[in-house]
Every structure is written in structure tokens, then in C-alpha cells.
Amino acid sequence: MTARTATVTRKTGETDINVELDLDGSGLSEILTGIGFLDHMLTALSKHSRIDLKLVCRGDLEVDEHHSAEDCGIALGEALDRSLGDRSGIRRFGSAYAPLDESLARAVIDFSGRPHADVNLYLRREMVGELSCEMVPHVFESLAITARMTLHLDVLKGRNDHHQTESAFKAFAIALRAAVSRDDSAGVPSTKGVL
């Protein structure tokens, strides 16, 4: 069985990021982005997707959290893409609902090779912790584009932005786990023969 792992280093004038990812892990994580709430969300993503994830980011937080959050999404998406190789032997599609108290989120993923993200979280506050609410969908969009996946992510209801964001990350994680799970009988799961 081929290891489905990836290591990504992304270094720009704004961030320095290292990601280690194992799709066939148990949900162990070591996350240090400098943004506490993003650390919390990426830890939840790792736990509920059962993907082992180490992500360390040193970014220009003295400016704001934008570059760090965006580049974490980009680097994580790149690691997912690399770890999947030619995408043969995966289920390809995944969907999930995740509640958190009054909030309910739905995620639908297709590792089609065609990047697209439609993210509707309906957040109202300016910030959750040190992460601006406008950055949350941007993280998912950046991740989906570099992972070459189609992602539809919607918060269906909720009143608390922390709960809505966390339910979105958890729904994404559960759908991700399904989409990357092994189905060796499928070969490349596409009528085109390539993803």
C-alpha cells in the first residue's frame, strides 16, 4: 500500500509555512499558525478527517492575519493534492452534515481536478478570536483551489459565529475523510480516466 503523505514548504515575503500530512493517519495534529482560532479549527479538521497534520506558520501578523490564514489554506490544499497523487483508488466524492449546538453545516466535496469553491457561512461578527470572519471562507476557497477540488460548503442555520465556523470545519473534515478514503476497485474514478 503506497503511503499517501506529503510535505509542503511555502515561503514568501509574508509567510513561512511547513506542512506535513498523512491521509491515512488517526487525526493527530500539531498546529501553530499564530492565530489561536485558526489553530482550533485546523485541529478539529485533522481530528474529524482522521488526517495526521503538522502545520507551522510564521507570518506577518504585525500587519494582520490575512496572509497567514490565506497561505495556510494554500499550503494545506497543495499538501492534499500531492498526497492524492493521480487520485486513483479514492472514492472521490464526499458529503457530510455536522451540527454544533444550534448551528448546522453541510459540506460536499468532489476531487474532480476542477477547482471550485462555493462557501456560504453567513457569519455576522467582525472577528472570532484573532481571525476575521471574512477570512474563514477565504481559507476554504484557497484550500479548494490548490487541492483541485470542487467544494460546496454551507451553514444551513445558526446564530453563533464560533459555532457556525466550527460546524463548517467539522462538516468539511467528515466529507474530506469520505472523499479521500480508499476504493481500490475504482481505479481512477472518472469516465475520462484521469482527474
Side-chain angles (χ1 to χ4, degrees), residues 1-2 4 23-24 83-93 111 176-190 193-195:
M1 195 177 287
T2 305
R4 300 190 305 162
L23 288 181
D24 300 307
S83 66
L84 288 169
D86 69 358
R87 303 180 184 214
S88 63
I90 65 167
R91 288 198 177 163
R92 176 179 165 180
F93 300 98
F111 274 102
L176 178 62
R177 185 65 188 162
V180 302
S181 64
R182 291 182 184 270
D183 182 357
D184 292 324
S185 66
V188 175
S190 171
V194 64
L195 290 173

Side-chain angles (χ1 to χ4, degrees), residues 40-60:
H40 179 42
M41 293 301 98
L42 293 177
T43 299
L45 191 161
S46 171
K47 182 70 172 177
H48 295 288
S49 67
R50 307 257 193 321
I51 292 172
D52 289 349
L53 177 62
K54 180 177 181 181
L55 189 153
V56 177
C57 173
R58 289 168 293 285
D60 58 356

